[in-house]
Amino acid sequence: MSWLDTAFHRALVEALLVGTVCALIGVHVVLRRQAFFTMAMTHATFPGVVMAAVTGLNLYLGGAAAGFLAALAVTALSRRRGHDPSTATAVALAAGFALGVALMSAQSGFTRDLTAYLTGSILTVATSDLLVAAAVTAAVALILAALHKELVFTAFDPAGARAAGYRTGAIDLLMLVLIEAVVATAVPAVGTILTLALVVAPAGAARLWTDRLGPMTAAAVVIGVASATGGLYVSRWFDVAAGGAISLLAATCFILSLTATATRRLLTPVAIRRRTPARSPVPPALPADS
């Protein structure tokens, strides 16, 4: 009997993979201040997942396709003069969720539980879900590592990156695709709505402790994996929804980090704070062919 034959063991592997990939992409979401946009993507993914379930298509493809279309729409609207990017994102957020609800209500014979899409159902993941999560985790990690310099440079200094010859539009679009791929992958574990907590909270907590990207990424992965696996065990021990437990644990890590770092700063003598130069993760401007 294989170790993955039991539902809890499959859920544990899924939690490890999803916690890792959400934390990896979450670091760049936090650096680019795209948390609100990511929330819009989680809502925009919902109608694609519902449509795929209704028609019998692959849930990952349906969710990713809907989110990608929403990302293109938000990008196009945001680039028009006189349009506030947050306005376009908010419209995509509301419209995506409303469309998903409308699609489900229109299917009178469709009995699939709505909460399975909104908050996840990690204990029902299959081996195929684990393979998808492993593939996406590996792909995202490789892309982020290969394009580390470009992604960081365009995040902190878009104008400088353009002047240096970088194709910032293509890099921004790549980030949108990666975010949507991670959101779609996390649907079986924490659903379309609660994915945001697992993407933003671990990276946000890590950012409070360090402004160096290497340690920040490592800390975010540790917090993300601990939140996902810890939430799964909390769900098992106290018989609560796994998606909710995972998201609450991630949010708790952020709140504790915020409280601890704020307390540490208050207790640090003012004279020491004044002597300590502020560190910045902004990389120096690099030529396009470097």
Side-chain angles (χ1 to χ4, degrees):
M1 182 176 179
S2 171
W3 190 72
L4 293 178
D5 285 342
T6 62
F8 183 79
H9 288 158
R10 287 195 300 271
L12 186 60
V13 174
E14 176 80 355
L16 288 168
L17 293 171
V18 170
T20 298
V21 72
C22 285
L24 289 175
I25 200 66
V27 170
H28 292 272
V29 168
V30 169
L31 292 180
R32 291 171 175 266
R33 299 181 180 180
Q34 290 183 323
F36 184 55
F37 174 82
T38 303
M39 181 170 65
M41 288 300 96
T42 61
H43 286 66
T45 300
F46 181 51
V49 171
V50 174
M51 180 62 74
V54 170
T55 58
L57 298 177
N58 185 277
L59 296 182
Y60 296 107
L61 294 179
F68 183 67
L69 291 176
L72 291 179
V74 170
T75 302
L77 289 174
S78 299
R79 291 182 179 275
R80 295 184 62 183
R81 290 186 177 182
H83 282 270
D84 182 8
S86 62
T87 301
T89 303
V91 171
L93 186 156
F97 188 73
L99 179 58
V101 174
L103 288 173
M104 291 203 70
S105 63
Q107 301 294 320
S108 58
F110 187 63
T111 58
R112 188 74 177 267
D113 188 3
L114 177 64
T115 58
Y117 303 121
L118 295 178
T119 61
S121 182
I122 194 170
L123 291 174
T124 63
V125 296
T127 304
S128 58
D129 296 318
L130 302 183
L131 295 176
V132 171
V136 172
T137 300
V140 169
L142 288 174
I143 293 173
L144 293 180
L147 300 178
H148 172 77
K149 177 182 66 176
E150 292 83 355
L151 291 172
V152 174
F153 197 0
T154 55
F156 286 102
D157 190 6
R162 284 192 296 269
Y166 289 106
R167 300 177 61 184
T168 57
I171 294 174
D172 291 341
L173 181 59
L174 174 63
M175 274 301 304
L176 302 185
V177 173
L178 292 180
I179 291 172
E180 180 52 41
V182 171
V183 169
T185 302
V187 168
V190 289
T192 58
I193 303 300
L194 297 181
T195 300
L196 179 68
L198 202 54
V199 170
V200 176
R207 180 66 182 87
L208 292 169
W209 292 103
T210 179
D211 53 15
R212 297 176 58 190
L213 289 179
M216 178 181 171
T217 302
V221 170
V222 170
I223 295 172
V225 170
S227 299
T229 56
L232 184 61
Y233 277 102
V234 168
S235 170
R236 186 182 191 183
W237 294 333
F238 297 100
D239 193 25
V240 296
I246 291 171
S247 299
L248 281 175
L249 197 55
T252 300
C253 290
F254 176 79
I255 294 172
L256 291 176
S257 296
L258 184 64
T259 303
T261 53
T263 303
R264 183 183 63 177
R265 182 171 178 81
L266 288 174
L267 295 178
T268 301
V270 176
I272 295 178
R273 292 205 303 266
R274 288 177 176 174
R275 289 198 305 266
T276 303
R279 294 178 299 171
S280 173
V282 180
L286 299 173
D289 57 349
S290 62

PDB file of all heavy atoms in Angstrom, residues 251-270:
ATOM      1  N   ALA A 251      -2.672  34.028   8.458  1.00  0.00           N
ATOM      2  CA  ALA A 251      -2.967  35.380   8.934  1.00  0.00           C
ATOM      3  C   ALA A 251      -2.429  35.589  10.352  1.00  0.00           C
ATOM      4  O   ALA A 251      -1.934  36.678  10.685  1.00  0.00           O
ATOM      5  CB  ALA A 251      -4.476  35.621   8.900  1.00  0.00           C
ATOM      6  N   THR A 252      -2.502  34.558  11.180  1.00  0.00           N
ATOM      7  CA  THR A 252      -1.980  34.654  12.550  1.00  0.00           C
ATOM      8  C   THR A 252      -0.469  34.875  12.543  1.00  0.00           C
ATOM      9  O   THR A 252       0.054  35.667  13.334  1.00  0.00           O
ATOM     10  CB  THR A 252      -2.321  33.382  13.336  1.00  0.00           C
ATOM     11  OG1 THR A 252      -3.742  33.225  13.392  1.00  0.00           O
ATOM     12  CG2 THR A 252      -1.770  33.452  14.752  1.00  0.00           C
ATOM     13  N   CYS A 253       0.234  34.192  11.647  1.00  0.00           N
ATOM     14  CA  CYS A 253       1.685  34.384  11.534  1.00  0.00           C
ATOM     15  C   CYS A 253       2.011  35.828  11.173  1.00  0.00           C
ATOM     16  O   CYS A 253       2.968  36.414  11.700  1.00  0.00           O
ATOM     17  CB  CYS A 253       2.262  33.440  10.482  1.00  0.00           C
ATOM     18  SG  CYS A 253       2.256  31.696  10.949  1.00  0.00           S
ATOM     19  N   PHE A 254       1.216  36.406  10.275  1.00  0.00           N
ATOM     20  CA  PHE A 254       1.448  37.798   9.893  1.00  0.00           C
ATOM     21  C   PHE A 254       1.189  38.738  11.070  1.00  0.00           C
ATOM     22  O   PHE A 254       1.974  39.656  11.335  1.00  0.00           O
ATOM     23  CB  PHE A 254       0.546  38.176   8.718  1.00  0.00           C
ATOM     24  CG  PHE A 254       0.659  39.618   8.318  1.00  0.00           C
ATOM     25  CD1 PHE A 254       1.724  40.060   7.554  1.00  0.00           C
ATOM     26  CD2 PHE A 254      -0.294  40.539   8.731  1.00  0.00           C
ATOM     27  CE1 PHE A 254       1.844  41.409   7.194  1.00  0.00           C
ATOM     28  CE2 PHE A 254      -0.191  41.874   8.377  1.00  0.00           C
ATOM     29  CZ  PHE A 254       0.886  42.309   7.606  1.00  0.00           C
ATOM     30  N   ILE A 255       0.083  38.516  11.785  1.00  0.00           N
ATOM     31  CA  ILE A 255      -0.253  39.384  12.914  1.00  0.00           C
ATOM     32  C   ILE A 255       0.804  39.288  14.016  1.00  0.00           C
ATOM     33  O   ILE A 255       1.223  40.300  14.594  1.00  0.00           O
ATOM     34  CB  ILE A 255      -1.642  39.023  13.461  1.00  0.00           C
ATOM     35  CG1 ILE A 255      -2.720  39.354  12.419  1.00  0.00           C
ATOM     36  CG2 ILE A 255      -1.931  39.764  14.765  1.00  0.00           C
ATOM     37  CD1 ILE A 255      -4.093  38.858  12.782  1.00  0.00           C
ATOM     38  N   LEU A 256       1.261  38.072  14.298  1.00  0.00           N
ATOM     39  CA  LEU A 256       2.294  37.898  15.318  1.00  0.00           C
ATOM     40  C   LEU A 256       3.599  38.560  14.900  1.00  0.00           C
ATOM     41  O   LEU A 256       4.295  39.175  15.730  1.00  0.00           O
ATOM     42  CB  LEU A 256       2.513  36.410  15.587  1.00  0.00           C
ATOM     43  CG  LEU A 256       1.366  35.672  16.281  1.00  0.00           C
ATOM     44  CD1 LEU A 256       1.686  34.180  16.396  1.00  0.00           C
ATOM     45  CD2 LEU A 256       1.101  36.264  17.661  1.00  0.00           C
ATOM     46  N   SER A 257       3.949  38.446  13.623  1.00  0.00           N
ATOM     47  CA  SER A 257       5.170  39.085  13.129  1.00  0.00           C
ATOM     48  C   SER A 257       5.052  40.604  13.209  1.00  0.00           C
ATOM     49  O   SER A 257       5.995  41.304  13.598  1.00  0.00           O
ATOM     50  CB  SER A 257       5.441  38.659  11.687  1.00  0.00           C
ATOM     51  OG  SER A 257       5.689  37.272  11.607  1.00  0.00           O
ATOM     52  N   LEU A 258       3.886  41.118  12.848  1.00  0.00           N
ATOM     53  CA  LEU A 258       3.660  42.558  12.911  1.00  0.00           C
ATOM     54  C   LEU A 258       3.773  43.059  14.347  1.00  0.00           C
ATOM     55  O   LEU A 258       4.412  44.083  14.617  1.00  0.00           O
ATOM     56  CB  LEU A 258       2.281  42.882  12.339  1.00  0.00           C
ATOM     57  CG  LEU A 258       1.901  44.361  12.246  1.00  0.00           C
ATOM     58  CD1 LEU A 258       2.821  45.095  11.292  1.00  0.00           C
ATOM     59  CD2 LEU A 258       0.452  44.502  11.793  1.00  0.00           C
ATOM     60  N   THR A 259       3.180  42.312  15.275  1.00  0.00           N
ATOM     61  CA  THR A 259       3.226  42.712  16.684  1.00  0.00           C
ATOM     62  C   THR A 259       4.645  42.626  17.228  1.00  0.00           C
ATOM     63  O   THR A 259       5.118  43.535  17.931  1.00  0.00           O
ATOM     64  CB  THR A 259       2.300  41.815  17.514  1.00  0.00           C
ATOM     65  OG1 THR A 259       0.970  41.883  16.996  1.00  0.00           O
ATOM     66  CG2 THR A 259       2.308  42.234  18.976  1.00  0.00           C
ATOM     67  N   ALA A 260       5.348  41.542  16.896  1.00  0.00           N
ATOM     68  CA  ALA A 260       6.700  41.341  17.420  1.00  0.00           C
ATOM     69  C   ALA A 260       7.671  42.387  16.888  1.00  0.00           C
ATOM     70  O   ALA A 260       8.483  42.938  17.643  1.00  0.00           O
ATOM     71  CB  ALA A 260       7.186  39.939  17.058  1.00  0.00           C
ATOM     72  N   THR A 261       7.617  42.676  15.598  1.00  0.00           N
ATOM     73  CA  THR A 261       8.540  43.654  15.032  1.00  0.00           C
ATOM     74  C   THR A 261       8.223  45.071  15.519  1.00  0.00           C
ATOM     75  O   THR A 261       9.133  45.874  15.737  1.00  0.00           O
ATOM     76  CB  THR A 261       8.497  43.612  13.499  1.00  0.00           C
ATOM     77  OG1 THR A 261       7.142  43.740  13.042  1.00  0.00           O
ATOM     78  CG2 THR A 261       9.070  42.306  12.980  1.00  0.00           C
ATOM     79  N   ALA A 262       6.937  45.366  15.688  1.00  0.00           N
ATOM     80  CA  ALA A 262       6.569  46.689  16.213  1.00  0.00           C
ATOM     81  C   ALA A 262       7.037  46.843  17.650  1.00  0.00           C
ATOM     82  O   ALA A 262       7.550  47.897  18.052  1.00  0.00           O
ATOM     83  CB  ALA A 262       5.062  46.883  16.117  1.00  0.00           C
ATOM     84  N   THR A 263       6.891  45.776  18.449  1.00  0.00           N
ATOM     85  CA  THR A 263       7.343  45.811  19.846  1.00  0.00           C
ATOM     86  C   THR A 263       8.850  45.953  19.923  1.00  0.00           C
ATOM     87  O   THR A 263       9.384  46.725  20.734  1.00  0.00           O
ATOM     88  CB  THR A 263       6.896  44.542  20.578  1.00  0.00           C
ATOM     89  OG1 THR A 263       5.465  44.418  20.497  1.00  0.00           O
ATOM     90  CG2 THR A 263       7.330  44.577  22.035  1.00  0.00           C
ATOM     91  N   ARG A 264       9.557  45.213  19.057  1.00  0.00           N
ATOM     92  CA  ARG A 264      11.017  45.291  19.053  1.00  0.00           C
ATOM     93  C   ARG A 264      11.483  46.697  18.707  1.00  0.00           C
ATOM     94  O   ARG A 264      12.427  47.213  19.310  1.00  0.00           O
ATOM     95  CB  ARG A 264      11.586  44.293  18.044  1.00  0.00           C
ATOM     96  CG  ARG A 264      13.108  44.256  18.012  1.00  0.00           C
ATOM     97  CD  ARG A 264      13.619  43.304  16.949  1.00  0.00           C
ATOM     98  NE  ARG A 264      13.223  43.722  15.614  1.00  0.00           N
ATOM     99  CZ  ARG A 264      13.597  43.089  14.498  1.00  0.00           C
ATOM    100  NH1 ARG A 264      14.353  41.995  14.594  1.00  0.00           N
ATOM    101  NH2 ARG A 264      13.205  43.523  13.313  1.00  0.00           N
ATOM    102  N   ARG A 265      10.799  47.330  17.772  1.00  0.00           N
ATOM    103  CA  ARG A 265      11.183  48.691  17.391  1.00  0.00           C
ATOM    104  C   ARG A 265      10.926  49.679  18.528  1.00  0.00           C
ATOM    105  O   ARG A 265      11.722  50.596  18.761  1.00  0.00           O
ATOM    106  CB  ARG A 265      10.417  49.113  16.142  1.00  0.00           C
ATOM    107  CG  ARG A 265      10.795  50.504  15.651  1.00  0.00           C
ATOM    108  CD  ARG A 265      10.201  50.807  14.298  1.00  0.00           C
ATOM    109  NE  ARG A 265      10.536  52.149  13.865  1.00  0.00           N
ATOM    110  CZ  ARG A 265      11.679  52.506  13.309  1.00  0.00           C
ATOM    111  NH1 ARG A 265      12.634  51.589  13.126  1.00  0.00           N
ATOM    112  NH2 ARG A 265      11.910  53.754  12.939  1.00  0.00           N
ATOM    113  N   LEU A 266       9.839  49.502  19.232  1.00  0.00           N
ATOM    114  CA  LEU A 266       9.539  50.390  20.348  1.00  0.00           C
ATOM    115  C   LEU A 266      10.555  50.250  21.475  1.00  0.00           C
ATOM    116  O   LEU A 266      10.891  51.222  22.157  1.00  0.00           O
ATOM    117  CB  LEU A 266       8.135  50.115  20.882  1.00  0.00           C
ATOM    118  CG  LEU A 266       6.974  50.570  19.994  1.00  0.00           C
ATOM    119  CD1 LEU A 266       5.654  50.099  20.591  1.00  0.00           C
ATOM    120  CD2 LEU A 266       6.977  52.091  19.829  1.00  0.00           C
ATOM    121  N   LEU A 267      11.051  49.013  21.659  1.00  0.00           N
ATOM    122  CA  LEU A 267      11.997  48.758  22.744  1.00  0.00           C
ATOM    123  C   LEU A 267      13.428  49.096  22.368  1.00  0.00           C
ATOM    124  O   LEU A 267      14.299  49.150  23.223  1.00  0.00           O
ATOM    125  CB  LEU A 267      11.922  47.286  23.165  1.00  0.00           C
ATOM    126  CG  LEU A 267      10.581  46.840  23.781  1.00  0.00           C
ATOM    127  CD1 LEU A 267      10.612  45.354  24.102  1.00  0.00           C
ATOM    128  CD2 LEU A 267      10.256  47.663  25.021  1.00  0.00           C
ATOM    129  N   THR A 268      13.676  49.319  21.069  1.00  0.00           N
ATOM    130  CA  THR A 268      15.024  49.662  20.636  1.00  0.00           C
ATOM    131  C   THR A 268      15.292  51.134  20.934  1.00  0.00           C
ATOM    132  O   THR A 268      14.499  51.996  20.563  1.00  0.00           O
ATOM    133  CB  THR A 268      15.181  49.433  19.124  1.00  0.00           C
ATOM    134  OG1 THR A 268      14.898  48.059  18.837  1.00  0.00           O
ATOM    135  CG2 THR A 268      16.588  49.762  18.667  1.00  0.00           C
ATOM    136  N   PRO A 269      16.395  51.437  21.613  1.00  0.00           N
ATOM    137  CA  PRO A 269      16.692  52.838  21.930  1.00  0.00           C
ATOM    138  C   PRO A 269      16.752  53.697  20.669  1.00  0.00           C
ATOM    139  O   PRO A 269      17.210  53.261  19.614  1.00  0.00           O
ATOM    140  CB  PRO A 269      18.068  52.761  22.609  1.00  0.00           C
ATOM    141  CG  PRO A 269      18.135  51.368  23.157  1.00  0.00           C
ATOM    142  CD  PRO A 269      17.375  50.516  22.184  1.00  0.00           C
ATOM    143  N   VAL A 270      16.265  54.914  20.797  1.00  0.00           N
ATOM    144  CA  VAL A 270      16.228  55.826  19.650  1.00  0.00           C
ATOM    145  C   VAL A 270      17.625  56.080  19.109  1.00  0.00           C
ATOM    146  O   VAL A 270      17.840  56.163  17.892  1.00  0.00           O
ATOM    147  CB  VAL A 270      15.563  57.156  20.057  1.00  0.00           C
ATOM    148  CG1 VAL A 270      15.610  58.156  18.900  1.00  0.00           C
ATOM    149  CG2 VAL A 270      14.139  56.911  20.502  1.00  0.00           C
TER     150      VAL A 270
END
